[in-house]
Amino acid sequence: MTRIKCTLAYDGSNFYGFQIQPDKRTVAGELEQALKKIHKGESIRIQGSGRTDTGVHAEGQVIHFDSKLSLGADNWKKALNALLPDDIFIKAAEIVSEDFHARFNAKMKEYHYYVRTSPERDVFSRNYAYHVPEQLNLTKMQDACAYLKGTHDFTTFSSVKATVQGSRVRTLYTVTCEEHPNGFRFVFIGDGFLYNMVRILVSFLLDVGRGKWQPEETLELLAAKDRTRVGKTIGPEGLYLVRVVYE
Amino acid sequence: MTRIKCTLAYDGSNFYGFQIQPDKRTVAGELEQALKKIHKGESIRIQGSGRTDTGVHAEGQVIHFDSKLSLGADNWKKALNALLPDDIFIKAAEIVSEDFHARFNAKMKEYHYYVRTSPERDVFSRNYAYHVPEQLNLTKMQDACAYLKGTHDFTTFSSVKATVQGSRVRTLYTVTCEEHPNGFRFVFIGDGFLYNMVRILVSFLLDVGRGKWQPEETLELLAAKDRTRVGKTIGPEGLYLVRVVYE
């Protein structure tokens, strides 16, 4: 058996998320269907670095799977891309050792979140950036980003539905907000992310940009460990899993 | 009766083109459905400046319709946008005189065509730019654009399916090619366009960029009036109807 690691991009718009679901079009479902064809009908299970929700995109999701076929890395890439639909693309394939695990060996993940600010909606970016009609204060959002950086209990900023064994303490190495054509780009690099964490963090940062919160209130909100203190989870359309880093 | 002119954008990816078709999701179909709701069940016919094919986008399509309702221009815009799906957006509504006609009064149209050049396909631009894996020569494409500008019989560069009464002579006021992030943008402004004309022109210009044709061969091809001399009609995904100009 050989273990293969793949780095892939997908446009999440037309998927019910990453994870296999019966009778739903999912990223993992399409990958396993392509692998089944390559293996002449034999089912192959894939393991992703983590799930992404309906509508969330990836520029650098990572998966692994095992195969008894002996194809070279580049042939794996070609064979999969030939069979996959045009909203999934394998950017790289690698033969890895059998102790590589896409989920358990992940050390860091990087997410980007794109916000488009404009009074009116835009048909072309509706699936690719979150639309905010009002103007936002960049400096205040950047100040709040600085408070979020570091090691904190992120209970306030994660879904109550998150079923986490153990602590909700995570370390964010990078939290930034910068201007981007027609809006803003938020960057998060961390050792792990709780369920809906990026979408709730950006929701809060946008409220800071609107003046609803002051940046210095971030620490108090973190300390409260109370999801109900901050706003709703915003849409998946602005969210991209950009990179998964391994040892 | 009041005549209303609307300027609209749509993402053509999920439409079977502009024109009404039974049991197909079309732009005109969605517009007429929204108008029917506003008119409490009464059917309202819309007239577009022209059709766009499946997958072709618009940033500035123009339509008109007649209504016995007396709404102000801005209320027409609001009412329609509230009812339309998120891949159509009314950018402007105007009350116009009864002799305005979206199709017959159009004096000029502007189309853009986006090409993405990169060895690999990209999941995010698959519906929004035409993918060319090879490198293209910008100067040669620009030289060929200069030959296309002006008044010519465009039979060579239009679909044989085009059912045109009268001549295939059209005037292109602007034909340009410029670098654009990750590729090129072609701009065409003309007094009228034959069926598939922009997609066949860009197909030819890309072949010039590949070195298959020399720019100076453009005039000979125009003179040949023979569709079979130039390459296939390329995809709709790169094509945008940007502007319709009236007197």
Side-chain angles (χ1 to χ4, degrees), chain B residues 12-60:
Chain B
S13 310
N14 299 323
F15 290 109
Y16 285 90
F18 181 82
Q19 198 71 359
I20 294 265
Q21 287 182 59
D23 304 323
K24 300 271 193 198
R25 185 172 187 265
T26 69
V27 177
E30 294 290 334
L31 289 165
E32 292 193 356
Q33 218 174 293
L35 284 168
K36 195 172 183 174
K37 279 184 196 150
I38 295 173
H39 292 82
K40 308 202 184 301
E42 190 195 337
S43 289
I44 303 288
R45 275 273 108 100
I46 63 143
Q47 173 68 55
S49 76
R51 304 174 181 196
T52 56
D53 281 335
T54 299
V56 175
H57 311 292
E59 291 174 4

Side-chain angles (χ1 to χ4, degrees), chain A residues 9-14 57-59 77 80-82 84-91 120-124 126-128 240, chain B residues 9-14 57-59 77 80-82 84-91 120-124 126-128 240:
Chain A
Y10 47 84
D11 176 341
S13 310
N14 299 323
H57 311 291
E59 291 173 5
K77 178 178 167 174
L80 281 165
N81 281 329
L84 285 167
D86 67 358
D87 48 359
I88 306 181
F89 182 70
I90 306 291
K91 295 170 109 171
E120 298 196 325
R121 62 185 174 82
D122 170 55
V123 296
F124 298 107
R126 72 192 192 286
N127 291 329
Y128 305 106
Y240 295 72
Chain B
Y10 47 85
D11 176 341
S13 310
N14 299 323
H57 311 292
E59 291 174 4
K77 177 177 167 175
L80 282 165
N81 281 328
L84 285 166
D86 68 356
D87 48 359
I88 306 181
F89 182 69
I90 305 291
K91 295 170 110 172
E120 299 195 325
R121 62 185 173 82
D122 170 54
V123 296
F124 298 107
R126 73 193 191 287
N127 291 329
Y128 305 106
Y240 296 71

